[in-house]
């Protein structure tokens, strides 16, 4: 296989899944050196093959932030997320637990965004009060911030979903 990236990872996983108790030759390139490793996948309870490694994509953090809108678009597709979860659930329980952990971490990060109805908005208000020397914002101003933010989120959901 001469591919790289996500397509290669999925292809290798599929080959291993289809080859329980059979020799699988893996060709690995590390820097300027090539290695060949022969593995025999164990058989899962569902009859698929499994080896003792976890394949994941090698993504640089800077690329992730530079391509955030593209990444966010891919991740936000509900059907793709559900399909990925279903595929992981079919493979094994370890993968499902890892998928659930990553999904929860993503939700935690999103929850910290300073948007109304999320914890991040309360955190932002606390930070504003701290910057003001501990003086609380007037209740009316807090309510205006929250209601305008809720309106923003509702309009964004209407126009962009």
């Amino acid at each position: 296989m001469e591919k790289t990236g996500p397509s290669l990872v999925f292809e290798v996983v599929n080959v291993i899944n289809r080859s329980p108790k059979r020799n699988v030759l893996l060709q690995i390139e590390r820097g300027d050196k090539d290695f060949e490793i022969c593995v025999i996948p164990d058989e899962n309870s569902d009859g698929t093959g499994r080896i003792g490694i976890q394949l994941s994509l090698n993504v640089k953090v800077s690329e992730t932030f530079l391509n955030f809108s593209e990444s966010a678009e891919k991740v936000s597709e509900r059907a793709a997320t559900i399909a990925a979860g279903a595929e992981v659930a079919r493979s094994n329980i370890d993968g499902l637990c890892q998928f659930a952990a990553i999904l929860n971490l993503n939700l935690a990060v999103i929850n910290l965004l300073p948007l109304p109805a999320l914890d991040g908005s309360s955190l932002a208000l606390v930070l504003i009060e701290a910057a003001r020397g501990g003086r609380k914002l007037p209740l009316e101003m807090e309510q205006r911030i929250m209601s305008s933010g809720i309106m923003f989120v509702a309009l964004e959901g209407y126009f962009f979903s």
Side-chain angles (χ1 to χ4, degrees):
M1 298 179 215
E2 293 295 322
K3 302 175 190 170
T4 61
S7 61
L8 177 62
V9 171
F10 293 123
E11 197 167 328
V12 169
V13 169
N14 286 332
V15 167
I16 291 168
N17 282 340
R18 291 191 313 263
S19 307
K21 298 183 180 182
R22 290 186 289 180
N23 287 333
V24 175
L25 181 65
L26 300 176
Q27 295 176 334
I28 300 169
E29 180 182 320
R30 289 280 181 231
D32 59 348
K33 295 181 181 179
D34 291 336
F35 301 94
E36 287 188 352
I37 300 173
C38 186
V39 297
I40 302 173
D42 290 334
E43 187 171 3
N44 282 327
S45 59
D46 63 358
T48 61
R50 174 181 141 175
I51 61 175
I53 63 170
Q54 175 66 45
L55 294 176
S56 63
L57 299 177
N58 235 351
V59 179
K60 294 179 184 173
V61 173
S62 60
E63 288 177 5
T64 302
F65 286 110
L66 290 175
N67 299 328
F68 182 75
S69 61
E70 184 179 309
S71 299
E73 185 176 302
K74 290 178 185 174
V75 172
S76 67
E77 296 177 12
R78 293 177 194 100
T81 305
I82 292 169
E87 182 65 31
V88 169
R90 277 192 290 265
S91 65
N92 61 29
I93 191 71
D94 294 337
L96 183 60
C97 289
Q98 288 177 353
F99 180 76
I102 290 170
L103 193 61
N104 277 313
L105 286 172
N106 285 330
L107 290 173
V109 169
I110 289 171
N111 194 34
L112 288 175
L113 293 174
L115 298 173
L118 298 179
D119 292 336
S121 63
S122 299
L123 183 61
L125 288 174
V126 167
L127 291 174
I128 290 170
E129 290 172 2
R132 294 183 50 174
R135 291 189 324 242
K136 217 166 161 35
L137 287 172
L139 184 60
E140 185 177 303
M141 184 180 287
E142 268 188 51
Q143 289 175 342
R144 282 187 187 156
I145 291 171
M146 287 297 190
S147 61
S148 63
I150 289 172
M151 182 61 82
F152 172 75
V153 170
L155 289 172
E156 183 181 42
Y158 178 75
F159 288 111
F160 295 112
S161 65

